[in-house]
Structure formats: structure tokens, C-alpha cells
Amino acid sequence: MNDVLPSEIAAWHRLEGIARELFAAYAYREIRVPIVEHTALFKRSIGEFTDIVQKEMFTFEDPGGDSLTLRPEATAGIVRAMISNGLLHNQRQRVWCSGPMFRHEKPQRGRFRQFYQIDVEAFGFAGPDIDAELIMLSARLLNRLGVERVELNLNSLGTPESRRAYREQLVNYFSAHKSRLDPDSLKRLEGNPLRILDSKNPDLQGLIAAAPVLTEYLDVPSRRHFDGLCKHLDAVGIRYVVNPRLVRGLDYYTHTVFEWVTSELGSQGAVCSGGRYDGLVAQLGGKSTPAVGWALGQERLVELLKVQKGQTPDAVPDVYLVIAGERAEAAGLMLAERLRDELPRMHIETNCGAGSFKSQLKRADNSGAQFALVLGDSETDKQVIGLKSLRVEAPQSEVPWSDIARILKSKLNQA
Ligand code: ATP
Ligand code: MG
């Protein structure tokens, strides 16, 4: 499980800030759902034959004897919340959510046991236009962040009927090559053969490459949906690669699936993935409702930005307030509060805990602040304060308390 340190947080805030702005711009509203749900919810939605349910869930019994699980993904909980709050009856909903997810995976670069996702979901829209809108939103987000060289992979899993026809072909194919399958894939052959295509085992890649392709089994409605999506993406110039091997790790997808991938993060290359899941709401006890969404891995995206752009500059204060002497200490915090009243956007760090002028000025310099305000006893007696530029060579000036906010405002260019 990963710690996000104060020195890294600026990059996270930037990602989250831009995402929030875009969600508002596309009229998606935030929903906050619990981190724990009944284990059965995830088993029923994600699917018994997925890695997540078979080996990655943090499951425990609560004091009342219920089996609960830390959410491995957000969609199931969001669907549960939409159903139990009656938000899907003849309504269309666009929502987003963010927070930690938990999967007991093998830890490695880009793969954590607690990781953050930003999720977006749309309910009640059956056509490919909303799939396109969601992909446009993800493209704009990556673009605004300045991410480069990510490739959009696109596929259609079709209707449940065409998926069923394809499933039969796959079972025939892999059954004929049973001796080459690994134990995981043998298990999947019984439960969910499509998932074999999702195997990361290098020994299986040849076999997978030669397997029948789902695209050839799509029925007319599936094809029409997929073509519709492609036309919308073409119209706005979003480039994509149709990847018939893309099946995604969860059972509930139908029609559109997609993934933004990079080759710059080692083998954990998926930064944002999603798809349509028209059957899930009914499967979880709601009225049949078409739905589509995506999830973005925040650690991976922050890491990719670091690889491509270097570290995001750390947040630094504008002003560091040096407070040395007994009478200065009595006045210092009061003065800082007054400045915060007058300049609410200015970041001011006070030197709590005393110290010599020299050591405090060193701290002021290390803080990265533009200016030090220097308050000693003699300044306090005269109701003035020293103003010292820390980044350019300039003499320290003495400013009356009544003037300091005005002067800082113009120096820091704050409205
Ligand atoms: P992968 O193929 O890498 O295992 P996934 O298909 O399991 O990904 P999803 O369940 O679709 O991933 O989750 C959406 C996004 O969350 C992924 O694209 C990825 O960026 C991120 N993600 C998934 N699992 C992890 C993890 N263990 N640690 C960090 N990020 C993750
Ligand atoms: Mg996974």
C-alpha cells in the first residue's frame, strides 16, 4: 500500500482539480459511496471467475457476522447506491466518484494493494453517443494534463447473444489446445473463457494471438453500436486502435470496451479503462438500465506525468514570517491572522517555536517563500515589520503594520 507524501501531493491535486473542472463542464455530478460493501455485491457484479473475486479481495467478517469486502472497484457500489436510492427509475444520470480501491495483487511498479481511482459512470443512455462522450472526456482530461503518447484501444464485446456465440468458438479452440493452458486458464475455460484472452502469462500469448476473433461474431446491433461510436470519435479527431483482444478484467461488460495505454510504465500500461455494462443494473436487482463508465488509475497517471514531465513543483508559501523575541512572539500570530483576513489567497508560513534570527531566516529560505517578514522586539515596539526579498538581491525595508498587506498584495500580484 502506497503513501502519497506531502512533496508529491501537488501532482495529485493538479490531476484531481482538472478532473473536477471537466466533470462540471460535461455535467457529471459527484457521488460518494462507502469503501466497504457486502462481499456478495462484488461476487455478483465482477464475476466469480475473475482474478479480483478469486484471489484479490480483502474480505472480512464484521462483528455482526456479515461478510464485508473493501471495494476493489467503484462501479458495483455506485450501481448499488443508484438502485437503493431509486435514482434510476426513468432517469438518466451522469456521475463521478473518486477514492481508494483495494486489491490483494502482487505489488510491483504501478500495481498497489490500495490505489486511487477516478470513476465516471452514465446510466440510462443506450446509444453509442454517450460512450463517445465518455471517451472524449477521458481524452480531454489526458490532454489537459499534458500526457503524451497514450494510445486508445477500442473493442466491442457485442450483445450477450453475440458474446455467447463467440464464447462457444473460444471454448472449442482452447479445448483443442488444453495441454498448453496454464492452471488459471484451465479454470477460466470452464467459467469464463473470454478471460483467457486477458491472461498476462507470456507463454500463452502465441496461443491467444491465434484464437478466433470476437469481431467476426458481432451481430448487426453490436456492429451498428460500434460503428456509431467510431464515427463520433472520428468526427472529433480522437485516434484509436481497434484491438480485438481487448476483453477487460471484469465480467460485466457488453458492447464497448476501451483502454488508454502507455508503453512508458513497464508492464502496467493501462492508465484509464472502461466500457459498457448494460446488464449489470438488472443483475444487481434494479430495473434493466443501460450503463457505461471508465476508471482511471491515479498512481499510474501521476507516475506517467512524472516520467514525461519531471516532478510537479512542490507547493511553497509566498511569505515566511520570522518571529524573534518575547514581545514579537506576543504579536506575531495576531499579525499573521490579520494578513490572512486581508489577503485570503496568500500562503503565509509562520515560524512557530522561536529560534534565533539566523536560524529562522535559514528556514525561511528553505521554505521556498518569495519574501520573509521579519518581526523582532524592536519592530514590534515601533509597530513595523521587516520585509526581505528571499529570491532577488534587494535591501530589507521597514514597513508599518498598517501598510504591509497593501504592499504584499502588489508585490505578489494578488487581486
Ligand atoms: P490491469 O490490467 O493493469 O490489472 P485492470 O483491468 O485490472 O488493470 P481496472 O479494474 O479496469 O484495471 O481499473 C481501472 C484502472 O485502475 C486501470 O486502468 C489502472 O490504471 C488502475 N489500476 C488497476 N489495478 C491497479 C492496481 N493494483 N494498482 C494501481 N492501479 C491500478
Ligand atoms: Mg487487474
Side-chain angles (χ1 to χ4, degrees):
M1 297 194 185
N2 187 34
D3 296 312
V4 180
L5 302 177
S7 59
E8 303 161 332
I9 204 70
W12 286 71
H13 284 170
R14 182 166 169 269
L15 164 59
E16 288 163 1
I18 292 176
R20 252 171 211 276
E21 264 176 49
L22 289 181
F23 292 144
Y26 282 75
Y28 286 71
R29 294 177 301 163
E30 185 177 2
I31 180 170
R32 298 188 183 187
V33 293
I35 284 174
V36 285
E37 298 274 358
H38 282 117
T39 304
L41 173 71
F42 299 117
K43 288 196 174 163
R44 277 163 65 201
S45 59
I46 297 168
E48 291 277 356
F49 291 94
T50 57
D51 286 350
I52 293 181
V53 168
Q54 282 185 340
K55 49 191 185 199
E56 295 174 1
M57 297 208 296
F58 285 91
T59 296
F60 61 98
E61 197 175 288
D62 79 356
D66 287 333
S67 178
L68 301 184
T69 293
L70 298 181
R71 62 178 183 198
E73 55 102 52
T75 306
I78 294 174
V79 171
R80 197 253 333 120
M82 301 303 279
I83 296 171
S84 57
N85 291 286
L87 298 181
L88 296 179
H89 280 289
N90 303 317
Q91 292 178 61
R92 309 200 298 180
Q93 300 282 358
R94 289 175 161 99
V95 296
W96 67 273
C97 167
S98 75
M101 307 296 153
F102 303 84
R103 296 182 193 175
H104 198 269
E105 303 200 70
K106 194 169 142 237
Q108 49 197 295
R109 183 182 186 196
R111 199 174 286 293
F112 303 96
R113 291 181 170 172
Q114 172 175 337
F115 59 97
Y116 283 77
Q117 281 186 345
I118 294 176
D119 285 86
V120 200
E121 321 280 352
F123 296 96
F125 304 85
D129 47 357
I130 194 84
D131 305 24
E133 177 182 280
L134 278 164
I135 291 175
M136 290 170 194
L137 171 51
S138 65
R140 190 176 293 273
L141 176 58
L142 295 170
N143 197 310
R144 279 273 282 278
L145 287 164
V147 175
E148 292 169 77
R149 299 180 293 281
V150 278
E151 184 179 77
L152 174 60
N153 278 242
L154 204 59
N155 192 21
S156 172
L157 301 180
T159 57
E161 293 73 39
S162 58
R163 200 169 148 166
R164 212 169 296 129
Y166 176 60
R167 186 183 192 279
E168 245 167 68
Q169 295 303 314
L170 266 192
V171 171
N172 291 343
Y173 171 79
F174 284 120
S175 299
H177 299 90
K178 241 182 175 164
S179 58
R180 290 171 64 189
L181 294 179
D182 61 12
D184 259 356
S185 302
L186 281 171
K187 233 189 285 166
R188 288 169 178 169
L189 186 59
E190 312 293 324
N192 184 353
L194 260 75
R195 293 293 325 289
I196 300 176
L197 301 177
D198 199 37
S199 168
K200 309 254 166 22
N201 183 348
D203 299 340
L204 288 181
Q205 298 312 312
L207 191 62
I208 290 171
V213 173
L214 190 142
T215 328
E216 285 159 22
Y217 295 85
L218 290 184
D219 52 23
V220 174
S222 303
R223 212 160 255 303
R224 200 176 299 138
H225 189 100
F226 192 60
D227 290 345
L229 169 61
C230 293
K231 281 208 186 89
H232 285 300
L233 296 180
D234 293 339
V236 296
I238 291 179
R239 282 189 295 172
Y240 52 87
V241 176
V242 178
N243 174 358
R245 304 286 166 209
L246 179 65
V247 292
R248 311 269 309 109
L250 306 108
D251 267 3
Y252 50 58
Y253 289 107
T254 51
H255 289 292
T256 311
V257 288
F258 70 91
E259 224 165 63
W260 286 98
V261 291
T262 170
S263 57
E264 293 169 55
L265 290 179
S267 48
Q268 272 54 253
V271 291
C272 175
S273 12
R276 178 166 280 279
Y277 52 95
D278 290 343
L280 185 62
V281 176
Q283 197 180 311
L284 293 179
K287 186 172 146 248
S288 174
T289 306
V292 51
W294 53 250
L296 171 156
Q298 291 188 239
E299 284 81 0
R300 288 190 197 173
L301 203 60
V302 166
E303 170 75 5
L304 181 60
L305 283 164
K306 201 165 112 194
V307 167
Q308 295 188 345
K309 315 262 166 216
Q311 192 91 35
T312 305
D314 203 354
V316 295
D318 299 309
V319 172
Y320 190 100
L321 176 57
V322 170
I323 306 170
E326 215 172 286
R327 297 191 297 287
E329 273 179 35
L333 291 189
M334 180 267 296
L335 211 57
E337 285 299 287
R338 231 198 255 169
L339 286 173
R340 292 188 182 105
D341 287 339
E342 293 185 54
L343 299 173
R345 288 195 300 118
M346 180 175 74
H347 298 179
I348 175 164
E349 179 172 341
T350 58
N351 184 86
C352 287
S356 68
F357 276 113
K358 195 171 160 217
S359 67
Q360 291 196 39
L361 278 167
K362 200 160 172 191
R363 273 187 218 140
D365 194 33
N366 289 341
S367 77
Q370 291 288 321
F371 298 99
L373 288 174
V374 183
L375 189 67
D377 283 341
S378 66
E379 284 86 357
T380 307
D381 296 339
K382 290 189 281 177
Q383 304 224 335
V384 297
I385 196 159
L387 175 62
K388 183 177 166 55
S389 174
L390 294 169
R391 304 298 146 207
V392 288
E393 213 48 66
Q396 182 172 323
S397 57
E398 204 166 76
V399 181
W401 288 358
S402 55
D403 273 353
I404 188 66
R406 184 181 54 78
I407 290 171
L408 281 175
K409 185 173 166 177
S410 76
K411 282 198 187 289
L412 294 167
N413 231 338
Q414 296 209 341

